[in-house]
Amino acid sequence: LESWELQVSHVLTKAKDLNWDSTETDEALLESQADFNAGISILCAVFTNNPQWNTWDEPGLQWNFFLQSGEEPPVKATKVDLITLNEADQERYYPYVRRWHKVYRVTFPRKDTHGTPLWTPLTPKLIFQVHGTLGELDLAWKFPQSLQSLPQH
């Protein structure tokens, strides 16, 4: 999960590391802003023993993705993209990813069907759900109570 501030920080760090000029940095920030506006993204590095199971990005296959906020009904992913990392980025920014992993960006809408935001400082937990013919996986992030008691502006 990424906040806009974290995405800006990532782009600026990468720009400094690669000695980008202001035009390249601005282009990367605009691209990052578009990604952020598209919805909530979760990056996943996946390895399976059988490569035929590691096909999250192929439409019509066995995988479904959901994001559940607190006790609300889960929301289905709007998009799954295979991400290609160059070796330098992989080593610097994603050291846990190895050459046999596939990296996916799973995108969800920022709001549920009722217009309620999926993720706010008051959200007690988020659950990323992967459902398929091979089984189910739920990854939960439980947020500290201190976040829930922050003053709202």
Side-chain angles (χ1 to χ4, degrees):
L1 293 170
E2 293 188 0
S3 69
W4 173 239
E5 292 81 6
L6 182 62
Q7 285 187 310
V8 168
S9 175
H10 178 77
V11 169
L12 295 177
T13 299
K14 188 173 181 179
K16 182 179 176 186
D17 290 348
L18 299 177
N19 295 316
W20 286 350
D21 63 26
S22 61
T23 302
E24 291 170 309
T25 302
D26 289 347
E27 287 173 2
L29 284 169
L30 286 173
E31 184 178 328
S32 188
Q33 179 73 53
D35 288 344
F36 182 79
N37 290 339
I40 297 172
S41 293
I42 297 176
L43 295 180
C44 303
V46 180
F47 170 77
T48 60
N49 290 332
N50 184 337
Q52 292 178 335
W53 298 341
N54 197 351
T55 53
W56 284 18
D57 60 324
E58 294 182 24
L61 293 178
Q62 66 264 24
W63 302 109
N64 289 294
F65 307 92
F66 302 93
L67 189 62
Q68 184 176 5
S69 175
E71 301 303 319
E72 298 298 318
V75 174
K76 190 169 184 170
T78 55
K79 191 171 154 185
V80 178
D81 295 310
L82 180 64
I83 304 296
T84 303
L85 300 173
N86 68 45
E87 192 171 325
D89 280 355
Q90 184 172 324
E91 287 179 14
R92 169 104 168 105
Y93 302 108
Y94 306 101
Y96 53 86
V97 176
R98 300 291 178 245
R99 67 179 175 273
W100 50 83
H101 286 93
K102 284 188 179 179
V103 179
Y104 299 96
R105 177 187 293 126
V106 183
T107 304
F108 297 90
R110 292 207 169 276
K111 297 180 179 181
D112 66 16
T113 55
H114 304 291
T116 305
L118 287 177
W119 185 30
T120 72
L122 300 177
T123 302
K125 69 179 174 180
L126 279 176
I127 303 170
F128 174 58
Q129 302 171 333
V130 180
H131 295 184
T133 55
L134 299 172
E136 296 181 1
L137 170 71
D138 289 355
L139 297 173
W141 290 271
K142 294 182 181 178
F143 301 109
Q145 292 295 323
S146 60
L147 286 180
Q148 297 171 35
S149 62
L150 290 174
Q152 297 301 299
H153 299 287

